[in-house]
Amino acid sequence: MDMTRNAAAVSLPVPAEITQIREEIEDVKTFYFRFEDPELERSFPIRSGQFVMCTVFGAGEFAVSLPWSPEQDRRHLSVRSVGKVTSALHGLRVGDKIGIRGPFGNGFPFAELSGRNLIYVAGGIGLIPLRSSIVHALLHREDFGRIILLYGAKSSRELMYRPNIEEWRKRDGFETYVTIDRPEPGWDGETGFVHTLIEKANVPIENTTAFVCGPPVMFNAVIGELSRRGLKDDCIISTLERHMKCGIGKCQHCAIGRTLVCTDGPVYTYKQIKTLGETI
Amino acid sequence: MTMHLLAKSDVPRFLSALSGRFEMYGPQVHPESGDVFFDLAADGSRIRLDAPIPVNSPKFAVFPHWERILSYAYDRENKEVKIIPEDLVRPKALVGVRACDLTGLLCFDRFFLGQEFVDEFYRAHRRKIFIVSVTCTAPFPQCFCVCTDSGPYAAEGYDVNLTDLGESYLLEPGSEAGRALAAELGLAEAGPDAARRRDEAVDRSISLFEAKAVENKAWISRAVNRLTTGFVKNETWEYIGKQCFECGACSFVCPSCSCFNIEDVNRQSGGTDRLRTWDSCSFEGYARMAGEHNPRRPVEDRRNKRFFCKLSYSQSKKYLRPGCVGCGRCVRVCPGDIGMTNVVTAIRRDITG
Ligand SMILES: Cc1cc2nc3c(=O)[nH]c(=O)nc-3n(C[C@H](O)[C@H](O)[C@H](O)COP(=O)(O)OP(=O)(O)OC[C@H]3O[C@@H](n4cnc5c(N)ncnc54)[C@H](O)[C@@H]3O)c2cc1C
Ligand code: SF4
Ligand code: SF4
């Protein structure tokens, strides 16, 4: 088959080797990988906020966010085992091969964000799609106003990327607030739902963009609180998830109203989300 | 381009010239049921150019019911993976394609080839297709292509178009390949009155359509307007949803429905095939995500998608025209009686039960 537009990684998965596996939290592992093809290994340009389709050979393919930053970091995927393909991935070992197609999707609108305060609000594994953007923002610290992470999980065992968070905490000009739902022996941090951190962090509203990712209940509570404080809908950004098969706008499974999450998204402003004409 | 005349007695010669270089597909009458199917025809001889509109659309020739899009073998012992692209696509001639179905193919072209990404698997089929379309000189009972601007005469997209002028067909080449075929067969050039006779045949056909379109309640533009501006009552969608059996037949017969699923299937003998298969937005599992989260659970939620996809202005952008091409097939097959034209009526009249 002869192909157009960097077609190899669009239509056909390209092989990559798992180089390290880290148990992140229960049911979630991070898989570091390297492409077999040295050319791709050298250069696989991404925008933060994009995703790839990952093949687990013999099981199938699934959509997964890119948590690494475009200019730094080893390539890795963080995946929760929830079904057929993701559980097969969890069964793989270092040295095993996976397939990658992509990168796909629009990514975060960094060109429009310079000079603004960036507020990251994540619940549970909602931190995965935001990680790349956080690392990117920290690398270009001088381009932004305040940068604040408000992160919450059910319990301390369900906090993602803890080594990263500890490291970010130490950075100048990066404000980190982490909460768990209920008090726990040995936990001396915040407790309560993540939207309560908005008050505690004294989040600015003027000239601010908030990134919000997490389960629906958390999402709604956070949006409610931010809106109540006057943050406009087009200053709130999120990434959406949908059943997805092709990643390139053809299978139509990820349609929400008139938009396709794979090619128009997965990054949307809350203003856009409200007008999709379908529940999310 | 120069037009030619193809004497009806010359049709077998025309078909056999094609069958020499293409896999032949065309309308055939099933010997027992009498139904017309658009299907593979070993040589051209069973193809009936004058058969009524087939029950299935020819889309399967470029977008098969199921197909292997690639295969791979992973040797876990040695950590070796081999990915094998599919390259078994044979050149096909689609003969006797009606204008509605050709318009459906053009919708496919714009959708699969004309967006941000090219669908390589579709392209592999499409670039090897030779299309012989036929003008419908009379409508069939189910038709309303005049309401969707997709017939009865094909304006573009064919290699060769045939219009029945009585004793012969007017043969209009629409591509270089079509022109070469006409030249090779040594067909006589059509006289100066041929175009006029064709236009008369088309006009006569359109005049017969008017009654059909009214009978078929195909007030498409009104429905386009209401869908686009969101003026469809929830109760109307609920009524339409309740009628749907979620059988998927409407999607499968529709010349412009193109949703698919992808599945990796392990072979008994080792190795895995990646298969893509037709899918339908009416199915319950269509949007279901892991953990049983289904954003489109109620059937009316799913059922209205098809009609937005076919008729709303924002969705039409992907085809540069409405997705419905007026073939009437979904009307014929739907066991719940909510084919396109009945839905158009429900939308127009705010029918809720
Ligand atoms: C843009 C995007 C980014 C994502 N990023 C991540 C990530 O970083 N980490 C992570 O753990 N998960 C992520 N997901 C979710 C992940 O794709 C699903 O959990 C995964 O597809 C489930 O597949 P499965 O075969 O294990 O589950 P099953 O329930 O067995 O699913 C079978 C099939 O359904 C489809 N499917 C089911 N759930 C989803 C879903 N939520 N999204 C898309 N397709 C689904 C897939 O095609 C899958 O092959 C992302 C999804 C999208 C759309
Ligand atoms: S929606 Fe129905 S009438 Fe319209 S093109 Fe599809 S099958 Fe034919
Ligand atoms: S053919 Fe009718 S019953 Fe079957 S899925 Fe389509 S609309 Fe529903």
Side-chain angles (χ1 to χ4, degrees):
Chain A
M1 200 183 299
D2 89 83
M3 300 205 173
T4 47
R5 201 193 147 181
N6 66 332
V10 169
S11 298
L12 300 179
V14 294
E17 178 189 335
I18 298 174
T19 54
Q20 188 194 337
I21 300 175
R22 192 173 69 225
E23 304 259 354
E24 207 65 62
I25 57 174
E26 195 180 345
D27 288 338
V28 181
K29 290 183 186 178
T30 292
F31 299 83
Y32 292 86
F33 66 92
R34 125 176 110 227
F35 288 109
E36 257 185 18
D37 176 358
E39 195 58 36
L40 273 178
E41 180 56 23
R42 206 174 45 73
S43 164
F44 184 72
I46 64 155
R47 292 190 295 274
S48 83
Q50 288 190 298
F51 68 96
V52 291
M53 298 299 290
C54 170
T55 296
V56 183
F57 294 114
E61 201 178 33
F62 70 102
V64 55
S65 316
L66 304 183
W68 77 83
S69 90
E71 55 268 276
Q72 210 193 28
D73 263 4
R74 286 156 64 206
R75 296 189 181 107
H76 62 280
L77 308 171
S78 296
V79 179
R80 166 170 275 176
S81 171
V82 290
K84 181 177 170 226
V85 186
T86 47
S87 64
L89 178 68
H90 274 237
L92 296 185
R93 303 276 166 266
V94 168
D96 269 320
K97 295 279 165 65
I98 54 175
I100 301 285
R101 280 195 305 127
F104 301 125
N106 55 356
F108 295 111
F110 267 104
E112 297 157 26
L113 297 178
S114 99
R116 298 178 70 83
N117 305 306
L118 307 182
I119 317 298
Y120 294 95
V121 196
I125 59 168
L127 191 55
I128 299 174
L130 294 184
R131 185 187 179 283
S132 167
S133 166
I134 295 173
V135 177
H136 178 81
L138 282 175
L139 273 175
H140 301 271
R141 182 66 195 86
E142 67 287 357
D143 293 350
F144 306 102
R146 286 174 72 186
I147 305 183
I148 307 175
L149 169 65
L150 311 178
Y151 182 39
K154 280 207 195 88
S155 69
S156 63
R157 286 190 322 278
E158 283 167 81
L159 291 168
M160 287 288 299
Y161 300 133
R162 287 189 81 166
N164 289 134
I165 292 175
E166 290 318 313
E167 180 201 318
W168 295 337
R169 217 189 261 287
K170 295 190 199 108
R171 298 277 302 253
D172 282 342
F174 187 77
E175 304 165 51
T176 314
Y177 295 80
V178 180
T179 183
I180 57 175
D181 287 0
R182 267 175 287 293
E184 224 177 75
W187 175 261
D188 54 7
E190 307 283 349
T191 53
F193 297 126
V194 67
H195 64 272
T196 60
L197 295 178
I198 295 170
E199 170 86 56
K200 288 184 184 132
N202 188 23
V203 161
I205 296 301
E206 270 307 298
N207 199 26
T208 292
T209 295
F211 298 69
V212 185
C213 273
V217 186
M218 167 267 173
F219 183 82
N220 291 331
V222 169
I223 301 274
E225 181 64 17
L226 289 173
S227 303
R228 206 179 54 75
R229 287 165 177 264
L231 193 63
K232 291 207 187 69
D233 291 345
D234 57 359
C235 298
I236 301 173
I237 293 178
S238 188
T239 72
L240 297 183
E241 243 183 55
R242 265 301 188 276
H243 185 124
M244 204 175 270
K245 284 297 181 181
C246 73
I248 60 171
K250 307 301 181 192
C251 78
Q252 301 275 319
H253 278 272
C254 67
I256 308 181
R258 64 180 73 94
T259 188
L260 291 177
V261 174
C262 65
T263 48
D264 304 330
V267 177
Y268 294 90
T269 65
Y270 185 55
K271 187 176 175 191
Q272 291 170 318
I273 291 174
K274 275 170 123 178
T275 59
L276 292 177
E278 202 176 320
T279 44
I280 56 161
Chain B
M1 276 197 212
T2 319
M3 297 190 274
H4 300 269
L5 287 177
L6 174 68
K8 288 200 170 158
S9 57
D10 241 2
V11 168
R13 192 164 70 90
F14 170 74
L15 293 178
S16 85
L18 284 173
S19 75
R21 56 204 92 155
F22 296 103
E23 233 175 43
M24 298 286 282
Y25 292 80
Q28 299 164 56
V29 181
H30 191 275
E32 280 143 38
S33 68
D35 284 335
V36 179
F37 292 97
F38 199 94
D39 203 357
L40 181 66
D43 52 16
S45 64
R46 286 190 52 212
I47 292 178
R48 284 259 316 275
L49 287 176
D50 57 350
I53 181 170
V55 292
N56 59 336
S57 100
K59 71 174 175 184
F60 68 90
V62 282
F63 176 59
H65 307 76
W66 69 272
E67 83 176 310
R68 182 167 70 194
I69 54 175
L70 62 95
S71 52
Y72 57 76
Y74 180 41
D75 172 0
R76 209 175 161 191
E77 198 92 330
N78 297 306
K79 313 287 183 218
E80 262 169 25
V81 52
K82 224 165 101 194
I83 295 169
I84 307 140
E86 199 51 35
D87 58 358
L88 280 177
V89 175
R90 281 189 289 270
K92 302 183 190 91
L94 311 185
V95 180
V97 177
R98 298 194 172 273
C100 55
D101 287 335
L102 180 54
T103 310
L105 282 176
L106 298 180
C107 287
F108 270 20
D109 285 353
R110 289 173 195 137
F111 176 67
F112 280 125
L113 307 174
Q115 312 273 310
E116 181 182 353
F117 291 97
V118 166
D119 186 305
E120 295 295 343
F121 311 110
Y122 177 81
R123 197 170 78 103
H125 289 284
R126 188 61 176 92
R127 60 212 297 250
K128 293 187 180 168
I129 295 284
F130 187 92
I131 296 175
V132 180
S133 50
V134 287
T135 305
C136 300
T137 48
F140 303 100
Q142 70 198 63
C143 300
F144 56 97
C145 64
V146 285
C147 307
T148 52
D149 190 23
S150 46
Y153 169 71
E156 54 172 340
Y158 52 80
D159 291 286
V160 158
N161 183 65
L162 303 176
T163 306
D164 192 338
L165 297 180
E167 71 299 339
S168 56
Y169 285 102
L170 176 68
L171 185 151
E172 294 172 83
S175 71
E176 197 41 46
R179 199 198 52 77
L181 179 72
E184 181 189 315
L185 291 173
L187 298 179
E189 272 189 33
D193 66 333
R196 184 185 49 79
R197 289 178 62 203
R198 174 201 64 200
D199 292 346
E200 278 168 14
V202 173
D203 285 348
R204 200 178 323 115
S205 177
I206 290 174
S207 70
L208 295 172
F209 261 102
E210 248 165 53
K212 274 275 152 319
V214 173
E215 216 170 279
N216 288 342
K217 302 167 285 190
W219 304 91
I220 298 293
S221 56
R222 191 65 200 284
V224 167
N225 190 299
R226 286 202 149 200
L227 276 158
T228 303
T229 50
F231 277 116
V232 182
K233 283 193 178 159
N234 262 338
E235 293 78 7
T236 300
W237 287 130
E238 274 164 29
Y239 160 72
I240 293 166
K242 278 198 201 95
Q243 298 280 103
C244 177
F245 287 81
E246 307 174 46
C247 67
C250 50
S251 307
F252 296 162
V253 294
C254 179
S256 68
C257 270
S258 66
C259 288
F260 59 81
N261 194 14
I262 295 179
E263 203 76 51
D264 285 9
V265 178
N266 295 326
R267 269 181 256 132
Q268 207 97 65
S269 56
T272 305
D273 293 325
R274 178 161 292 172
L275 305 182
R276 91 165 168 191
T277 54
W278 287 1
D279 205 343
S280 169
C281 59
S282 67
F283 294 154
E284 214 246 320
Y286 186 79
R288 185 172 53 220
M289 297 193 275
E292 289 301 302
H293 174 55
N294 195 344
R296 284 188 192 169
R297 196 175 281 286
V299 60
E300 64 267 20
D301 241 30
R302 277 177 272 129
R303 196 53 317 199
N304 65 21
K305 294 300 167 287
R306 177 160 201 273
F307 301 100
F308 273 105
C309 191
K310 294 292 167 224
L311 293 184
S312 78
Y313 175 72
S314 60
Q315 292 283 319
S316 299
K317 281 194 239 169
K318 63 188 175 209
Y319 308 124
L320 306 178
R321 56 156 290 123
C324 177
V325 297
C327 72
R329 289 191 180 97
C330 60
V331 186
R332 242 184 91 167
V333 296
C334 179
D337 221 14
I338 45 162
M340 179 54 81
T341 50
N342 287 343
V343 167
V344 163
T345 303
I347 289 175
R348 269 179 59 232
R349 300 224 177 119
D350 283 338
I351 292 175
T352 54

